Amino acid sequence: MQEKIQNIKNQAIAQITQASSSGELEDIRISYLGRSGKLAKLIKEIKRLKKEERKQVGILANDAKQTIEKQLKVQQNKLREMVREWFDPTVPGAKTPKGHLHLVTQAIEEIAGVFEKIGFVRVRYPEVEWDWFAFEALNMPKWHPARDTLETFFIDAKPHPKYGQILLTPHTSSGQIREMERVKGTKAGVDSVVRMINIAKCYRRQSDVSHVPMFHQFEGLVIDEGIAITHLKGTLDYFARNFFGPGRKTRLRPYHFQFTEPSFEVDITCDVCKGTARLPDGQGCKLCKEGWLELGGAGMVHPTVLKNGGIDNKKYTGFAFGWGVERTFMMKSGLEIDDIRLIYSSDLRFLKQF
Ligand code: PHE
């Protein structure tokens, strides 16, 4: 009996050391240690032995079992080691996931690039601003609806004796006065002319499918001698062609802003119906109503605003325009999202598409 156990043990070890897969090892384990395995069968026979022999054989059988189990583990580890060490130099390396700029950042870069080509200088002015720059100096009367706490975020702090309350700027037009002051302060004085493109965050107390409380605007401002509406129109057409594509045209519609006179709303020809308001099948255009899409506001800088910026309004004239980045981007990409808040939701399924 003792010899039998010894033989089984040796046999098992020999098989285990030659096994080349975990499947094989498992088969070996079952054939020796399984319920009806070779060792188990022998152990069942122990109770038929004489009492004095039983103890001795029991110890041996137990030792055999433990040795086989240990050997199985050793071999298993050896096999794992072999797999790990096997190196295939032709397998492509694991790629680290790479992100990209947010779509609004991409749009900002592109818009700035288009204007920089015709000599506009990109500037940035405070988003936390004084009332003077955001409203008062822009000729906006105290009763103007935009100056209501329901429209604008006012900061609960002591007002400045000259500049008034602190607020989160609701438009990039607050950069107009600051830019006039900056240029005046330079060595060349105002004769160095203003050609600014101010792109910044703006804040308004609105949140629904087409508004987010924080959004972006880009504001153009040009001041020089003899600047007229034709310069504004030419600049807008240049932007339309270069940002939206050749063939796109703009039109100016009379409007009202406190800080420009005359004021306009700028429309661009719709890309879906090419400005015809009709689709090839004779149906009306799904995107626009009359062949035009609304871009945003523009106008000739109001003389009072020039004066507030310290500019001689007898000698100089200027034009300005200010549009939403998100809206302009959506019009370019033909993107029709039913909730603008998605842009700032950090949902990678959305963001990865741009
Ligand atoms: N600031 C205006 C707005 O936010 C847009 C505008 C800018 C209009 C410059 C005219 C000139 O609606």
Side-chain angles (χ1 to χ4, degrees), residues 170-173 176 204 217 219-220 257 259-260 263-264 296-299 320-323:
H171 55 183
T172 41
S173 300
Q176 289 191 16
R204 290 185 196 177
Q217 278 191 341
E219 181 105 1
F257 294 105
F259 36 93
T260 46
S263 302
F264 310 102
F321 56 88
W323 306 341

PDB file of all heavy atoms in Angstrom, residues 170-173 176 204 217 219-220 257 259-260 263-264 296-299 320-323, ligand 1:
ATOM      1  N   PRO A 170     -22.242  91.181 -19.189  1.00  0.00           N
ATOM      2  CA  PRO A 170     -23.230  90.447 -19.997  1.00  0.00           C
ATOM      3  C   PRO A 170     -22.907  90.472 -21.493  1.00  0.00           C
ATOM      4  O   PRO A 170     -23.586  89.826 -22.271  1.00  0.00           O
ATOM      5  CB  PRO A 170     -24.527  91.216 -19.723  1.00  0.00           C
ATOM      6  CG  PRO A 170     -24.079  92.609 -19.459  1.00  0.00           C
ATOM      7  CD  PRO A 170     -22.703  92.541 -18.860  1.00  0.00           C
ATOM      8  N   HIS A 171     -21.896  91.225 -21.894  1.00  0.00           N
ATOM      9  CA  HIS A 171     -21.488  91.263 -23.311  1.00  0.00           C
ATOM     10  C   HIS A 171     -20.041  91.740 -23.426  1.00  0.00           C
ATOM     11  O   HIS A 171     -19.490  92.346 -22.499  1.00  0.00           O
ATOM     12  CB  HIS A 171     -22.420  92.155 -24.151  1.00  0.00           C
ATOM     13  CG  HIS A 171     -22.565  93.569 -23.641  1.00  0.00           C
ATOM     14  ND1 HIS A 171     -23.400  94.475 -24.223  1.00  0.00           N
ATOM     15  CD2 HIS A 171     -21.970  94.228 -22.612  1.00  0.00           C
ATOM     16  CE1 HIS A 171     -23.322  95.634 -23.569  1.00  0.00           C
ATOM     17  NE2 HIS A 171     -22.464  95.493 -22.594  1.00  0.00           N
ATOM     18  N   THR A 172     -19.430  91.444 -24.589  1.00  0.00           N
ATOM     19  CA  THR A 172     -18.036  91.842 -24.798  1.00  0.00           C
ATOM     20  C   THR A 172     -17.915  93.324 -25.141  1.00  0.00           C
ATOM     21  O   THR A 172     -16.808  93.839 -25.247  1.00  0.00           O
ATOM     22  CB  THR A 172     -17.400  90.991 -25.914  1.00  0.00           C
ATOM     23  OG1 THR A 172     -18.350  90.833 -26.967  1.00  0.00           O
ATOM     24  CG2 THR A 172     -16.970  89.635 -25.406  1.00  0.00           C
ATOM     25  N   SER A 173     -19.058  94.007 -25.289  1.00  0.00           N
ATOM     26  CA  SER A 173     -19.009  95.442 -25.578  1.00  0.00           C
ATOM     27  C   SER A 173     -18.324  96.210 -24.451  1.00  0.00           C
ATOM     28  O   SER A 173     -17.837  97.326 -24.658  1.00  0.00           O
ATOM     29  CB  SER A 173     -20.425  95.998 -25.784  1.00  0.00           C
ATOM     30  OG  SER A 173     -21.055  95.342 -26.859  1.00  0.00           O
ATOM     31  N   GLN A 176     -15.065  97.712 -25.265  1.00  0.00           N
ATOM     32  CA  GLN A 176     -14.897  98.850 -26.183  1.00  0.00           C
ATOM     33  C   GLN A 176     -14.208 100.038 -25.521  1.00  0.00           C
ATOM     34  O   GLN A 176     -13.215 100.563 -26.017  1.00  0.00           O
ATOM     35  CB  GLN A 176     -16.271  99.307 -26.714  1.00  0.00           C
ATOM     36  CG  GLN A 176     -16.908  98.335 -27.693  1.00  0.00           C
ATOM     37  CD  GLN A 176     -18.117  98.948 -28.400  1.00  0.00           C
ATOM     38  OE1 GLN A 176     -18.316 100.164 -28.392  1.00  0.00           O
ATOM     39  NE2 GLN A 176     -18.926  98.098 -29.005  1.00  0.00           N
ATOM     40  N   ARG A 204     -25.309  85.900 -18.381  1.00  0.00           N
ATOM     41  CA  ARG A 204     -26.656  86.455 -18.280  1.00  0.00           C
ATOM     42  C   ARG A 204     -27.525  85.491 -17.488  1.00  0.00           C
ATOM     43  O   ARG A 204     -27.303  84.277 -17.536  1.00  0.00           O
ATOM     44  CB  ARG A 204     -27.267  86.666 -19.675  1.00  0.00           C
ATOM     45  CG  ARG A 204     -26.577  87.799 -20.410  1.00  0.00           C
ATOM     46  CD  ARG A 204     -27.237  88.111 -21.739  1.00  0.00           C
ATOM     47  NE  ARG A 204     -26.310  88.931 -22.536  1.00  0.00           N
ATOM     48  CZ  ARG A 204     -26.517  89.335 -23.762  1.00  0.00           C
ATOM     49  NH1 ARG A 204     -27.653  89.014 -24.376  1.00  0.00           N
ATOM     50  NH2 ARG A 204     -25.633  90.066 -24.401  1.00  0.00           N
ATOM     51  N   GLN A 217     -18.784  85.615 -26.465  1.00  0.00           N
ATOM     52  CA  GLN A 217     -19.039  86.537 -27.566  1.00  0.00           C
ATOM     53  C   GLN A 217     -17.712  86.950 -28.184  1.00  0.00           C
ATOM     54  O   GLN A 217     -16.675  86.891 -27.527  1.00  0.00           O
ATOM     55  CB  GLN A 217     -19.737  87.809 -27.066  1.00  0.00           C
ATOM     56  CG  GLN A 217     -21.239  87.663 -26.881  1.00  0.00           C
ATOM     57  CD  GLN A 217     -21.923  89.004 -26.647  1.00  0.00           C
ATOM     58  OE1 GLN A 217     -21.288  89.993 -26.274  1.00  0.00           O
ATOM     59  NE2 GLN A 217     -23.218  89.043 -26.864  1.00  0.00           N
ATOM     60  N   GLU A 219     -16.219  90.370 -30.182  1.00  0.00           N
ATOM     61  CA  GLU A 219     -16.594  91.760 -30.412  1.00  0.00           C
ATOM     62  C   GLU A 219     -15.521  92.410 -31.278  1.00  0.00           C
ATOM     63  O   GLU A 219     -14.344  92.395 -30.940  1.00  0.00           O
ATOM     64  CB  GLU A 219     -16.661  92.487 -29.057  1.00  0.00           C
ATOM     65  CG  GLU A 219     -17.056  93.937 -29.155  1.00  0.00           C
ATOM     66  CD  GLU A 219     -18.506  94.148 -28.710  1.00  0.00           C
ATOM     67  OE1 GLU A 219     -19.156  93.159 -28.311  1.00  0.00           O
ATOM     68  OE2 GLU A 219     -18.976  95.291 -28.772  1.00  0.00           O
ATOM     69  N   GLY A 220     -15.960  92.960 -32.384  1.00  0.00           N
ATOM     70  CA  GLY A 220     -15.031  93.697 -33.228  1.00  0.00           C
ATOM     71  C   GLY A 220     -15.233  95.180 -32.997  1.00  0.00           C
ATOM     72  O   GLY A 220     -16.360  95.635 -32.791  1.00  0.00           O
ATOM     73  N   PHE A 257     -29.488  99.662 -30.815  1.00  0.00           N
ATOM     74  CA  PHE A 257     -28.645  99.463 -29.630  1.00  0.00           C
ATOM     75  C   PHE A 257     -28.333 100.847 -29.098  1.00  0.00           C
ATOM     76  O   PHE A 257     -28.250 101.801 -29.876  1.00  0.00           O
ATOM     77  CB  PHE A 257     -27.327  98.739 -29.983  1.00  0.00           C
ATOM     78  CG  PHE A 257     -27.515  97.327 -30.447  1.00  0.00           C
ATOM     79  CD1 PHE A 257     -27.386  97.002 -31.799  1.00  0.00           C
ATOM     80  CD2 PHE A 257     -27.818  96.315 -29.553  1.00  0.00           C
ATOM     81  CE1 PHE A 257     -27.568  95.694 -32.238  1.00  0.00           C
ATOM     82  CE2 PHE A 257     -28.003  95.000 -29.980  1.00  0.00           C
ATOM     83  CZ  PHE A 257     -27.883  94.692 -31.326  1.00  0.00           C
ATOM     84  N   PHE A 259     -25.556 101.849 -27.844  1.00  0.00           N
ATOM     85  CA  PHE A 259     -24.156 102.281 -28.031  1.00  0.00           C
ATOM     86  C   PHE A 259     -23.734 102.369 -29.492  1.00  0.00           C
ATOM     87  O   PHE A 259     -22.580 102.621 -29.795  1.00  0.00           O
ATOM     88  CB  PHE A 259     -23.217 101.366 -27.243  1.00  0.00           C
ATOM     89  CG  PHE A 259     -23.664  99.931 -27.223  1.00  0.00           C
ATOM     90  CD1 PHE A 259     -23.202  99.036 -28.170  1.00  0.00           C
ATOM     91  CD2 PHE A 259     -24.565  99.492 -26.255  1.00  0.00           C
ATOM     92  CE1 PHE A 259     -23.626  97.711 -28.139  1.00  0.00           C
ATOM     93  CE2 PHE A 259     -24.991  98.167 -26.240  1.00  0.00           C
ATOM     94  CZ  PHE A 259     -24.531  97.282 -27.178  1.00  0.00           C
ATOM     95  N   THR A 260     -24.665 102.140 -30.410  1.00  0.00           N
ATOM     96  CA  THR A 260     -24.343 102.334 -31.826  1.00  0.00           C
ATOM     97  C   THR A 260     -25.455 103.154 -32.484  1.00  0.00           C
ATOM     98  O   THR A 260     -26.612 103.087 -32.085  1.00  0.00           O
ATOM     99  CB  THR A 260     -24.200 100.981 -32.572  1.00  0.00           C
ATOM    100  OG1 THR A 260     -25.287 100.128 -32.221  1.00  0.00           O
ATOM    101  CG2 THR A 260     -22.892 100.301 -32.256  1.00  0.00           C
ATOM    102  N   SER A 263     -27.826 101.412 -35.879  1.00  0.00           N
ATOM    103  CA  SER A 263     -27.584 100.046 -35.419  1.00  0.00           C
ATOM    104  C   SER A 263     -28.201  99.054 -36.404  1.00  0.00           C
ATOM    105  O   SER A 263     -29.167  99.382 -37.097  1.00  0.00           O
ATOM    106  CB  SER A 263     -28.228  99.821 -34.049  1.00  0.00           C
ATOM    107  OG  SER A 263     -27.735 100.741 -33.110  1.00  0.00           O
ATOM    108  N   PHE A 264     -27.617  97.857 -36.418  1.00  0.00           N
ATOM    109  CA  PHE A 264     -28.114  96.829 -37.340  1.00  0.00           C
ATOM    110  C   PHE A 264     -28.155  95.480 -36.667  1.00  0.00           C
ATOM    111  O   PHE A 264     -27.432  95.222 -35.701  1.00  0.00           O
ATOM    112  CB  PHE A 264     -27.184  96.696 -38.559  1.00  0.00           C
ATOM    113  CG  PHE A 264     -26.870  97.988 -39.218  1.00  0.00           C
ATOM    114  CD1 PHE A 264     -25.644  98.622 -38.996  1.00  0.00           C
ATOM    115  CD2 PHE A 264     -27.794  98.598 -40.059  1.00  0.00           C
ATOM    116  CE1 PHE A 264     -25.340  99.823 -39.605  1.00  0.00           C
ATOM    117  CE2 PHE A 264     -27.495  99.808 -40.667  1.00  0.00           C
ATOM    118  CZ  PHE A 264     -26.268 100.426 -40.437  1.00  0.00           C
ATOM    119  N   GLY A 296     -26.154  88.430 -35.375  1.00  0.00           N
ATOM    120  CA  GLY A 296     -26.014  89.241 -34.159  1.00  0.00           C
ATOM    121  C   GLY A 296     -25.977  90.720 -34.473  1.00  0.00           C
ATOM    122  O   GLY A 296     -26.249  91.125 -35.610  1.00  0.00           O
ATOM    123  N   GLY A 297     -25.630  91.524 -33.464  1.00  0.00           N
ATOM    124  CA  GLY A 297     -25.721  92.976 -33.587  1.00  0.00           C
ATOM    125  C   GLY A 297     -24.468  93.641 -34.138  1.00  0.00           C
ATOM    126  O   GLY A 297     -23.368  93.106 -34.067  1.00  0.00           O
ATOM    127  N   ALA A 298     -24.666  94.850 -34.674  1.00  0.00           N
ATOM    128  CA  ALA A 298     -23.551  95.655 -35.177  1.00  0.00           C
ATOM    129  C   ALA A 298     -24.013  97.103 -35.308  1.00  0.00           C
ATOM    130  O   ALA A 298     -25.202  97.393 -35.140  1.00  0.00           O
ATOM    131  CB  ALA A 298     -23.087  95.132 -36.530  1.00  0.00           C
ATOM    132  N   GLY A 299     -23.095  97.992 -35.590  1.00  0.00           N
ATOM    133  CA  GLY A 299     -23.491  99.380 -35.812  1.00  0.00           C
ATOM    134  C   GLY A 299     -22.293 100.322 -35.814  1.00  0.00           C
ATOM    135  O   GLY A 299     -21.155  99.901 -35.633  1.00  0.00           O
ATOM    136  N   ALA A 320     -18.705  98.726 -34.775  1.00  0.00           N
ATOM    137  CA  ALA A 320     -18.566  97.621 -33.821  1.00  0.00           C
ATOM    138  C   ALA A 320     -19.570  96.534 -34.155  1.00  0.00           C
ATOM    139  O   ALA A 320     -20.610  96.796 -34.773  1.00  0.00           O
ATOM    140  CB  ALA A 320     -18.795  98.116 -32.394  1.00  0.00           C
ATOM    141  N   PHE A 321     -19.213  95.319 -33.783  1.00  0.00           N
ATOM    142  CA  PHE A 321     -20.174  94.213 -33.900  1.00  0.00           C
ATOM    143  C   PHE A 321     -19.896  93.232 -32.774  1.00  0.00           C
ATOM    144  O   PHE A 321     -18.769  93.149 -32.278  1.00  0.00           O
ATOM    145  CB  PHE A 321     -20.084  93.518 -35.269  1.00  0.00           C
ATOM    146  CG  PHE A 321     -18.703  93.015 -35.605  1.00  0.00           C
ATOM    147  CD1 PHE A 321     -18.293  91.748 -35.208  1.00  0.00           C
ATOM    148  CD2 PHE A 321     -17.813  93.828 -36.306  1.00  0.00           C
ATOM    149  CE1 PHE A 321     -17.026  91.287 -35.520  1.00  0.00           C
ATOM    150  CE2 PHE A 321     -16.537  93.370 -36.607  1.00  0.00           C
ATOM    151  CZ  PHE A 321     -16.132  92.105 -36.213  1.00  0.00           C
ATOM    152  N   GLY A 322     -20.928  92.527 -32.322  1.00  0.00           N
ATOM    153  CA  GLY A 322     -20.735  91.561 -31.238  1.00  0.00           C
ATOM    154  C   GLY A 322     -21.689  90.399 -31.390  1.00  0.00           C
ATOM    155  O   GLY A 322     -22.902  90.577 -31.414  1.00  0.00           O
ATOM    156  N   TRP A 323     -21.112  89.208 -31.555  1.00  0.00           N
ATOM    157  CA  TRP A 323     -21.930  88.024 -31.802  1.00  0.00           C
ATOM    158  C   TRP A 323     -21.578  86.902 -30.833  1.00  0.00           C
ATOM    159  O   TRP A 323     -20.483  86.845 -30.289  1.00  0.00           O
ATOM    160  CB  TRP A 323     -21.708  87.503 -33.232  1.00  0.00           C
ATOM    161  CG  TRP A 323     -21.933  88.543 -34.281  1.00  0.00           C
ATOM    162  CD1 TRP A 323     -22.619  89.705 -34.136  1.00  0.00           C
ATOM    163  CD2 TRP A 323     -21.446  88.505 -35.625  1.00  0.00           C
ATOM    164  NE1 TRP A 323     -22.609  90.395 -35.320  1.00  0.00           N
ATOM    165  CE2 TRP A 323     -21.892  89.688 -36.249  1.00  0.00           C
ATOM    166  CE3 TRP A 323     -20.696  87.600 -36.361  1.00  0.00           C
ATOM    167  CZ2 TRP A 323     -21.608  89.975 -37.571  1.00  0.00           C
ATOM    168  CZ3 TRP A 323     -20.413  87.878 -37.675  1.00  0.00           C
ATOM    169  CH2 TRP A 323     -20.871  89.061 -38.279  1.00  0.00           C
TER     170      TRP A 323
HETATM  171  N1  PHE B   1     -23.473  93.904 -27.217  1.00  0.00           N
HETATM  172  C1  PHE B   1     -24.588  93.598 -28.084  1.00  0.00           C
HETATM  173  C2  PHE B   1     -25.310  92.357 -27.523  1.00  0.00           C
HETATM  174  O1  PHE B   1     -24.760  91.685 -26.690  1.00  0.00           O
HETATM  175  C3  PHE B   1     -24.152  93.313 -29.487  1.00  0.00           C
HETATM  176  C4  PHE B   1     -23.530  94.480 -30.193  1.00  0.00           C
HETATM  177  C5  PHE B   1     -22.166  94.664 -30.177  1.00  0.00           C
HETATM  178  C6  PHE B   1     -24.313  95.368 -30.904  1.00  0.00           C
HETATM  179  C7  PHE B   1     -21.584  95.723 -30.825  1.00  0.00           C
HETATM  180  C8  PHE B   1     -23.744  96.423 -31.581  1.00  0.00           C
HETATM  181  C9  PHE B   1     -22.406  96.603 -31.537  1.00  0.00           C
HETATM  182  O2  PHE B   1     -26.402  92.040 -27.914  1.00  0.00           O
END
